[in-house]
Each structure stands twice: as C-alpha cells, then as structure tokens.
C-alpha cells in the first residue's frame, strides 16, 4: 500500500514535470489511463483512514487536472472516456470508504469481543476468589469465636484459681500461711498468666473485627476481668514488695488493664456509631454515654422540628430507621443493658429517649399511636429478656 | 438512322451515369490519438480498439534495408489515421513516416514522408490535429499530410 502511494506520488511528480513541457494528446491519454489504474488499485488496497484521506486528495487533483482534456479523453479513452473513468473512480472511492468503515467496525468488534472475554475470565476469577474469601471469612469468624471463648475460659480459670487461694483473705495483713499460699501462686506463675490474659485480650481486640452483636459482650468481658482484678490485684500489691519481680508485674497489669479498657471502649463506641451510620441516621458521633444520649435527643428534636419540611414517606423512612431498625431492635436489647450495667447509661436516659420517640411518632400521621406503643412494648420486652439472660450469665460466671 | 444514333447516345449516357459509385460525404476517419501497437513475432500489428490488423514485415524491410537487426529489434510502431482515412505509420529508429491507404484486403504505401535523410528518430509521436497529423520528434514538430511533411515553423 505504502509502495503504491509512493509510486503514485512519483507518477504525479513525473507528470507534473511533464506538464512543464509540452505533451502530445497521446501522452495525456496515457497519463490519464496510467494514473487511473494506479489510483483505482490504491483505493482498492486502502486499509486505513489516513491513507484514504491522502488518496481522496489525489482523486480530486486527478479529476481537476484532466478536466480541460475532457472532450478529447471522452473520444480517445475507450470505452468509458473521461466521464466514465471518473465515475468509476468515485465508485471505487465509496467502496474504499465502506471497506475502511467495515474494517474499523471489525477491529472494534474484535476488541470488544476480547474485552468481553477478558471480563468474563476476570469475572470467573473474582467469583472463585469471592467463594474462597467467603469460606475464609466463615472459617475466620469461627476461629475468632473460638479464640474469644478460649480467652474467656482461661480468664475465668485463672481468677477461679486466684479466688480459691485468697478465699480466706479478709484483712490487709499477710500472715505466714498467706505467704505460703502466695508461694504456691508464684509456683503456678499466676501473675504472669493474668498479664498474658490481658495482653491476649488486647491483641484480640486489635487484630479482629467484630459484628455488632459481639461488641457489647467484649465490654462485658473487659469490665468483668477488671472487676475481678481489682480484688486480687489489691491483695497481690500488698503481698509483694513493690521492687520484687512480682510486684513490678502487678503494677504493669494495672497499666495494661487501663489500656485494654480504653481499647474496648474505642471499639464499643465505634461500633455504636456505625450502627447509626449504617442506617444513614444523622446522629453526631459520640465517645461516651452522655454524648450519645445528648446527640440522640438532639437528633430526635431536629426530626420533630423538620416534619413539616419532609414528605410523609421520608418521615416514615427516617423514623423506621431509628425506632425499629436501631434503637428498638439493636440498642435496647443488647447494647443499652450492658451500658447500664457498667454505668455508661441510665434508666432515665433510656426512658427519656423512649418518650421523645413517642412524641416524634405522634407528630407523624401515618403511624398510629397504638402501633408505636406495640413497638415500644416489644422493644422493652426484648430488653428485659436480654437483661435477664445477661444477668443469669454473670451470676453463673 | 440519325434518330437511332441519337437514341443510342441517350441510352448510353444514362447507363454511364447510372453506373458511377455513390459517395457518402462528409466522412471523418480520424483517430483521437495515436495507437502504440506491438509488433508480433511474425510481423503482425493489431490496433484492437479500431479492429485494424496488418503485417509490417515488408515495411520494416524497406525502412531498414541494410540493417536487418534494426528491423528485428523493432518491437512497437506508432499508428494514427487522419480524417481522410489514410494511416500514418512510424517508429523508433525510423527516418520516414509511411502513409498507407486501405485497399482490397491490404494496405498500400501511398507515400513515404522523409523526416530526415541522415538521422533516425529517437522517440516519434503522432498528434491528431484538425486538418493534418502532427509528428513530434523530440523538440521538432512536423505537419504531415498524405502529400508531404512540413516542419512546423518553416525550418528543416
């Protein structure tokens, strides 16, 4: 193709050179025929738009250059003459344009087919990865549950052992018998075990992700451990000389437990904020119970004020997201009881939020008071049952 | 007797008039451009577009009388026909242009137009004009008619 264009250019140059001189009519006829054949050949062989554009220019030049000889060429060029050959060139030009368009479409189709194939393969690979990841996630969740269970069991065992050894401690004095018991403790390396338990719990907190159902339990565990440690730790602090190895470990444990508490609370508040965020409720993030209460009240007040500006459907969506999907079904049954048990939330605060929710519902026509009452009663029942369950567990522990 | 002679004369005159050929005029046999035709192995040339074919062996022998190799080397000739129907034939290394007239199954040399007595032509070309055929030999041009060749510009 390139050769053809170069040749054509050569012919044009040659003929231009010839034009500078005089030409016989036979020369004109021959040039016309030669260039026509070459142009037709090049048009038939054109494979891209750039080549075709150049050739179209050549065709226009060719037509214009021989136009003055039209009458002579119509007689001399047999059988088509000038007019016939120019028509044929135009048809070749149209064919070439269609051919290039078809080639471009073919290329596009081939490229799209490749893309489809590649996406198909990628899709299959992603599906297989997803299946694998789902299996891994399930296995990981199982492992986390097992680990949590094991850590809890070990914590309980360690404190049961310590409790049994300190069962007779009711004074601050350490008698000779008590020292003997402490030496048994040292032999069993209980202090190191407690330290390790705290470290493991912290590592567990920082390395795993938890479902909203697991988080209240984590806070419960941490507080339970801390409370157990408070009794034992004080006794151990008094029993050991502060500079001794055991004495140092006891004060280290105090620091570790404080860190664990901070971490647990971080996870706890983050989890609570995420519950509201997942329902797209515009409650300002909080980091403690007081803030949470204040922000929820602020949110409800704002919603009550905005009822006039929102459609009935929008109001219902926001209300349902708060009253049914978060406060009633998630927070009150599992989070609030834990918070109340550990002094992070009060009965009054809960009652205030319930009352506000009722006021909010009253301002919304579509939801009847009786419906809301049923919902709140249902939520209250769930909360009571959850409280009873958690209380039973605590007592059995 | 006199009357009979007059009658015979009238009949004879009418017969002579009746036998003379009918002519269709005007006629134009001119080719728009010259034809370059190959000389075949047996000396045949064939201007296909005009369905004219004839043998040039005798003509080449005449042109290159003393140089049979030149006759053999002639691979193509140039041919054109004027308005009157006469063919003009020449080629490379020729010194003459031959004017041929169509006969009964043959072409006969009606005239030999001498272009140069000494020099042969390098690249002769014919060009059809209204009243004559033009011969180009390099920069030189000649007006050709069946009767003779005149250099254009009066020179030569």
């Amino acid at each position: 193709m390139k050769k053809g264009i170069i040749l054509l250019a050569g012919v044009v140059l040659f003929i231009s050179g010839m034009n500078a001189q005089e030409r016989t009519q036979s020369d004109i006829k021959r040039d016309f025929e030669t260039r026509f054949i070459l142009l037709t050949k090049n048009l038939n062989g054109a494979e891209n738009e750039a080549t075709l554009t150049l050739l179209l220019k050549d065709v226009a030049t060719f037509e214009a250059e021989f136009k003055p000889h039209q009458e002579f060429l119509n007689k001399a060029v047999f059988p088509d003459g000038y007019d016939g050959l120019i028509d044929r060139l135009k048809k070749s030009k149209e064919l070439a344009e269609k051919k290039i368009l078809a080639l471009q479409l073919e290329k596009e189709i081939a490229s799209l087919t490749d893309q489809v194939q590649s996406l198909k393969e990628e899709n299959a690979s992603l599906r297989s990865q997803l299946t694998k990841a789902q299996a891994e996630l399930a296995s990981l969740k199982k492992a986390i549950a097992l680990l949590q269970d094991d850590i809890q069991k070990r914590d309980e065992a360690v404190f049961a052992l310590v409790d049994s050894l300190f069962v007779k401690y009711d004074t601050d004095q350490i008698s000779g018998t008590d020292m003997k018991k402490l030496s048994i403790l040292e032999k069993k390396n209980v202090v190191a075990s407690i330290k390790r338990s705290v470290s493991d719990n912290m590592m567990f907190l920082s390395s795993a992700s938890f479902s909203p159902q697991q988080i209240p339990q984590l806070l419960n565990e941490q507080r339970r451990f801390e409370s157990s440690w408070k009794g034992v730790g004080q006794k151990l602090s008094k029993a050991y000389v502060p500079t001794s190895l055991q004495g140092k470990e006891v004060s280290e444990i105090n620091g570790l437990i404080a860190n664990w508490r901070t971490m647990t609370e971080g996870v706890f508040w983050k989890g609570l904020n995420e519950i509201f965020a997942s329902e797209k409720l515009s409650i300002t993030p909080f980091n403690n119970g007081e803030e949470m209460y204040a922000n929820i009240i602020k949110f409800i007040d704002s919603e009550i004020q905005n009822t006039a500006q929102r459609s009935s459907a929008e109001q219902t969506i926001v209300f349902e997201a708060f009253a049914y999907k978060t406060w009633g079904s998630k927070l009150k049954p599992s989070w609030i009881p834990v918070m109340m048990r550990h002094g992070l939330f009060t009965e009054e605060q809960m009652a205030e939020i319930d009352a506000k929710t009722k006021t909010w519902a009253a301002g919304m026509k579509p939801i009847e008071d009786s419906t809301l009452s049923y919902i709140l009663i249902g939520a209250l029942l769930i909360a009571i049952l959850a409280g009873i369950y958690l209380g039973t567990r605590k007592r059995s522990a | 007797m006199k009357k009979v002679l007059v009658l015979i004369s009238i009949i004879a005159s009418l017969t002579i008039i009746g036998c003379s050929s009918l002519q269709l005029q005007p006629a134009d046999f001119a080719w728009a451009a010259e034809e370059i035709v190959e000389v075949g192995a047996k000396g045949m040339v064939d201007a296909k577009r005009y369905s004219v074919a004839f043998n040039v062996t005798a003509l080449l022998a005449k042109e290159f009388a003393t140089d049979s190799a030149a006759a053999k080397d002639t691979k193509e000739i140039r041919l054109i026909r004027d308005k009157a129907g006469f063919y003009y034939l020449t080629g490379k290394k020729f010194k003459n242009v031959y004017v041929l007239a169509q006969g009964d199954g043959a072409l006969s040399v009606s005239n030999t137009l001498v272009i140069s007595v000494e020099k042969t032509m390098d690249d002769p070309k014919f060009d059809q004009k209204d009243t004559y055929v033009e011969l180009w030999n390099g920069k030189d041009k000649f007006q050709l008619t069946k009767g003779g060749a005149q250099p254009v510009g009066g020179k030569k």
Side-chain angles (χ1 to χ4, degrees):
Chain A
M1 188 68 232
K2 214 172 178 182
K3 260 184 176 178
I5 291 172
I6 292 166
L7 191 60
L8 184 64
V11 169
V12 172
L13 276 174
F14 173 73
I15 286 161
S16 307
M18 291 271 292
N19 279 343
Q21 302 167 8
E22 276 187 300
R23 286 194 293 168
T24 66
Q25 287 182 320
S26 301
D27 290 334
I28 293 165
K29 178 189 168 223
R30 242 189 330 279
D31 296 344
F32 181 74
E33 285 170 336
T34 312
R35 280 175 65 186
F36 166 78
I37 290 165
L38 202 55
L39 271 173
T40 308
K41 191 183 159 195
N42 288 343
L43 281 170
N44 292 342
E47 281 176 356
N48 57 57
E49 235 176 326
T51 314
L52 184 66
T53 311
L54 285 175
L55 283 170
L56 294 184
K57 270 187 192 171
D58 289 343
V59 169
T61 312
F62 174 75
E63 190 180 349
E65 192 181 317
F66 286 95
K67 184 78 180 168
H69 308 289
Q70 185 178 14
E71 200 184 330
F72 159 70
L73 290 169
N74 275 336
K75 281 187 206 163
V77 179
F78 182 79
D80 296 307
Y82 171 88
D83 297 338
L85 291 193
I86 293 295
D87 274 353
R88 276 168 62 184
L89 261 187
K90 284 178 181 167
K91 277 175 191 159
S92 296
K93 190 181 87 177
E94 280 168 21
L95 273 176
E97 281 167 346
K98 282 178 185 166
K99 191 180 126 191
I100 285 167
L101 190 67
L103 278 173
Q104 281 171 344
L105 284 172
E106 251 176 50
K107 274 183 192 168
E108 216 167 293
I109 288 167
S111 155
L112 286 172
T113 310
D114 285 350
Q115 273 183 40
V116 168
Q117 185 60 29
S118 150
L119 285 170
K120 217 170 155 186
E121 282 164 15
E122 208 174 307
N123 195 10
S125 155
L126 285 172
R127 269 192 195 175
S128 120
Q129 279 179 37
L130 179 68
T131 313
K132 207 177 155 191
Q134 277 172 338
E136 278 172 4
L137 183 67
S139 150
L140 200 64
K141 275 185 179 172
K142 207 174 163 186
I144 288 171
L146 275 174
L147 184 62
Q148 193 177 13
D149 199 41
D150 281 358
I151 289 174
Q152 194 183 331
K153 276 181 185 161
R154 195 184 59 187
D155 294 351
E156 283 165 6
V158 169
F159 282 106
L161 177 66
V162 176
D163 279 348
S164 71
L165 291 169
F166 280 100
V167 78
K168 285 182 182 172
Y169 272 178
D170 49 4
T171 63
D172 290 343
Q173 298 300 316
I174 303 291
S175 66
T177 323
D178 295 333
M179 283 310 291
K180 199 176 171 187
K181 281 179 181 173
L182 274 175
S183 69
I184 296 166
L185 267 180
E186 279 163 27
K187 271 181 193 166
K188 292 187 181 296
N189 206 10
V190 170
V191 176
S193 291
I194 292 171
K195 190 179 158 187
R196 199 168 159 197
S197 271
V198 179
S199 303
D200 285 353
N201 271 298
M202 286 168 74
M203 199 187 288
F204 176 65
L205 265 182
S206 60
S207 59
S209 63
F210 306 97
S211 67
Q213 291 78 23
Q214 286 174 308
I215 296 172
Q217 185 61 19
L218 293 172
L219 185 81
N220 233 3
E221 293 300 329
Q222 192 278 328
R223 289 294 197 274
R224 209 166 54 82
F225 194 102
E226 192 177 331
S227 157
S228 301
W229 170 250
K230 263 182 189 164
V232 175
Q234 274 175 357
K235 290 170 185 171
L236 287 173
S237 307
K238 285 172 184 170
Y240 292 125
V241 179
T243 50
S244 70
L245 182 65
Q246 292 86 349
K248 277 181 186 168
E249 278 186 332
V250 168
S251 50
E252 249 180 71
I253 289 169
N254 284 325
L256 282 173
I257 286 177
N259 287 344
W260 179 17
R261 183 191 181 96
T262 311
M263 275 178 82
T264 310
E265 284 185 355
V267 171
F268 187 83
W269 298 120
K270 191 177 168 226
L272 254 178
N273 280 307
E274 277 172 1
I275 285 177
F276 289 121
S278 69
E279 291 298 335
K280 292 173 184 161
L281 292 167
S282 54
I283 293 172
T284 317
F286 44 84
N287 285 312
N288 57 55
E290 279 301 320
E291 270 181 25
M292 177 181 137
Y293 167 72
N295 294 353
I296 289 175
I297 291 293
K298 201 175 155 190
F299 164 74
I300 296 173
D301 284 344
S302 148
E303 287 301 318
I304 290 168
Q305 281 170 8
N306 287 339
T307 45
Q309 292 153 17
R310 284 197 174 153
S311 70
S312 171
E314 282 172 336
Q315 286 175 38
T316 310
I317 288 170
V318 180
F319 182 79
E320 283 182 353
F322 177 77
Y324 305 162
K325 293 180 182 168
T326 52
W327 177 250
S329 65
K330 287 178 186 161
L331 267 70
K332 284 183 77 175
S334 54
W335 294 72
I336 300 296
V338 173
M339 287 170 74
M340 278 163 55
R341 188 176 306 131
H342 300 299
L344 298 171
F345 215 68
T346 63
E347 287 269 3
E348 290 73 28
Q349 286 173 327
M350 189 176 78
E352 180 61 23
I353 291 174
D354 281 343
K356 281 272 178 191
T357 311
K358 210 171 174 182
T359 313
W360 180 10
M364 292 170 58
K365 276 188 180 173
I367 295 178
E368 288 177 11
D369 282 356
S370 55
T371 315
L372 185 70
S373 303
Y374 292 140
I375 293 160
L376 289 173
I377 289 165
L380 196 65
L381 273 173
I382 293 168
I384 291 164
L385 287 172
I388 291 167
Y389 169 73
L390 287 168
T392 318
R393 274 199 69 180
K394 192 185 177 189
R395 252 178 266 127
S396 66
Chain B
M1 188 62 196
K2 207 177 177 180
K3 274 184 179 176
V4 172
L5 277 174
V6 169
L7 193 63
I8 289 167
S9 304
I10 290 166
I11 291 167
S13 302
L14 286 171
T15 308
I16 289 163
I17 291 164
C19 287
S20 67
S21 63
L22 178 66
Q23 287 203 329
L24 306 178
Q25 283 186 316
D28 186 353
F29 298 100
W31 291 358
E34 69 177 351
E35 287 289 301
I36 299 166
V37 281
E38 281 182 21
V39 179
K42 291 179 179 172
M44 282 300 288
V45 292
D46 189 354
K48 287 191 174 70
R49 184 185 160 183
Y50 299 101
S51 303
V52 176
F54 54 92
N55 195 302
V56 290
T57 312
L59 192 135
L60 293 178
K62 188 181 177 217
E63 175 68 22
F64 303 109
T66 53
D67 189 357
S68 59
K72 251 187 175 178
D73 288 345
T74 304
K75 300 294 178 199
E76 61 177 33
I77 54 111
R78 286 166 186 264
L79 192 65
I80 196 166
R81 199 174 186 193
D82 68 6
K83 267 189 173 174
F86 288 95
Y87 293 97
Y88 294 75
L89 186 154
T90 192
K92 277 183 188 174
K93 309 288 178 197
F94 277 47
K95 289 176 180 170
N96 308 302
V97 172
Y98 294 90
V99 182
L100 308 170
Q102 192 170 323
D104 189 3
L107 286 174
S108 55
V109 176
S110 132
N111 197 358
T112 303
L113 310 177
V114 181
I115 303 302
S116 169
V117 183
E118 294 155 5
K119 269 181 89 180
T120 59
M121 290 184 279
D122 290 331
D123 188 20
K125 291 170 188 174
F126 290 124
D127 215 358
Q128 189 66 260
K129 299 290 178 188
D130 260 357
T131 52
Y132 58 94
V133 169
E134 194 167 68
L135 174 76
W136 294 39
N137 181 32
K139 287 178 182 174
D140 302 328
K141 289 180 190 174
F142 298 86
Q143 284 184 5
L144 307 180
T145 58
K146 64 177 178 182
Q150 286 296 316
V152 175
K155 212 184 151 189
K156 312 252 167 184

